[in-house]
Amino acid sequence: MKILASLLLLAAVPSLAQQRTLPLWPNGTPEPSRVVGPEIDPTTDRDRMILGKTSTRVTNISKPSLTLFPAPAGKNNGAAAVVFPGGGYSLLADLHEGVEVCQWLNSLGMTCLMVKYRVPEPGRFPENVEDLEDAQQAMRITHEHAAEWGIDQSKIGVVGFSAGAHLAVVLSTHPDDHSNPKAPGPTGAERPAFQMIVYPAYTTENGKVVEAVKPTANVPPTFLVQAEDDGVKVESSVLYFLALKDAKVPAEMHIYAEGGHGYGLRATALPIGVWPSLAEKWLHSIRILGPAVP
């Protein structure tokens, strides 16, 4: 029965049937793994339901990977997004901030690449560069396979949620970083064409944008969304938006009164539930979404 149910699910969702997962580091990560134990889902009964639907999470990721969700045949417009789920750098909310995001991007004719980056890890960039290394490698692999996957290399961006949004911001600010000589050097493929930042974490401290993510003029066009009642202070988006403005980076921000944190794209009666449609219009406005490609 379980096998039959799985086959029915794959038949109902074509993009899932075409999934392909590649290791980020086939020959091993640049640093020895500090993760102990096998990958597990730490979701408890208390936090399994999000907006009326079940959710999953994953932690103890010592072998990071990239999962391809190809654009539907006949709808591919050449655009692509590398997606970083959130989870406080201790776990990844891989379903509602990963798989469901890729399904939405597929519906727009985009190819999606979901990243399982290393967690849990002590610290984050710049103290710990492993998160950025995984993000850079995900971009390199996407560029390397662009022709095979029907992707326009000039239209590869990033989408991040919470800690994953922080990772997207770090990548956009430091695509050429090479702090670890054991990691591959920059190739130029690491720089995103756009970034979509959803309820970002760790971008501000003491009323200022953290120096490690302070934007420069080279940061790509940015879309921001957050709720004022987010447990992660809304200043995470507001102050970052103002820093983007000072750096003359094209940016669009949507702040809502209610919504909390960690909702992903799931339907809600609150106004914040419309943000995916606004993001789609924004992608058209910056000319990422366009006519279909063969």
Side-chain angles (χ1 to χ4, degrees), residues 24 31 41 73 94 96 100 114 174 209-210 253 263 277:
L24 284 185
E31 308 86 353
D41 180 355
D94 62 330
H96 71 282
E100 292 177 6
M114 185 183 76
H174 304 277
V209 173
V210 174
M253 179 176 66
Y263 39 84
S277 64

Side-chain angles (χ1 to χ4, degrees), residues 108-275:
L108 304 182
M110 298 176 65
T111 297
C112 182
L113 300 308
M114 185 183 76
V115 183
K116 281 174 62 177
Y117 52 95
R118 284 171 277 180
V119 292
E121 285 290 332
R124 53 186 178 270
F125 184 86
E127 291 79 17
N128 185 337
V129 298
E130 294 181 21
D131 50 359
L132 177 56
E133 288 173 359
D134 288 350
Q136 290 172 319
Q137 183 71 348
M139 290 293 288
R140 284 191 285 264
I141 292 173
T142 302
H143 276 264
E144 288 169 6
H145 290 270
E148 175 189 351
W149 294 342
I151 295 173
D152 180 339
Q153 293 192 45
S154 68
K155 294 184 177 182
I156 303 172
V158 290
V159 182
F161 297 78
S162 193
H166 173 263
L167 180 53
V169 168
V170 169
L171 175 65
S172 293
T173 313
H174 304 277
D176 301 329
D177 183 85
H178 193 211
S179 301
N180 179 8
K182 295 181 179 179
T187 65
E190 298 82 2
R191 188 179 302 278
F194 63 89
Q195 60 172 351
M196 200 176 298
I197 308 302
V198 187
Y199 42 84
Y202 314 123
T203 58
T204 59
E205 190 174 55
N206 299 323
K208 295 181 180 179
V209 173
V210 174
E211 194 65 31
V213 298
K214 190 173 181 180
T216 68
N218 291 324
V219 168
T222 302
F223 179 93
L224 289 151
V225 61
Q226 195 168 4
E228 195 280 328
D229 66 350
D230 193 328
V232 176
K233 293 183 178 180
V234 73
E235 285 80 2
S236 295
S237 288
V238 174
L239 294 179
Y240 184 65
F241 171 81
L242 293 174
L244 290 167
K245 179 176 178 291
D246 290 342
K248 300 189 180 345
V249 174
E252 181 171 317
M253 179 176 66
H254 297 273
I255 300 295
Y256 295 87
E258 297 178 275
H261 190 83
Y263 39 84
L265 284 86
R266 294 192 171 179
T268 171
L270 295 171
I272 201 168
V274 305
W275 80 260

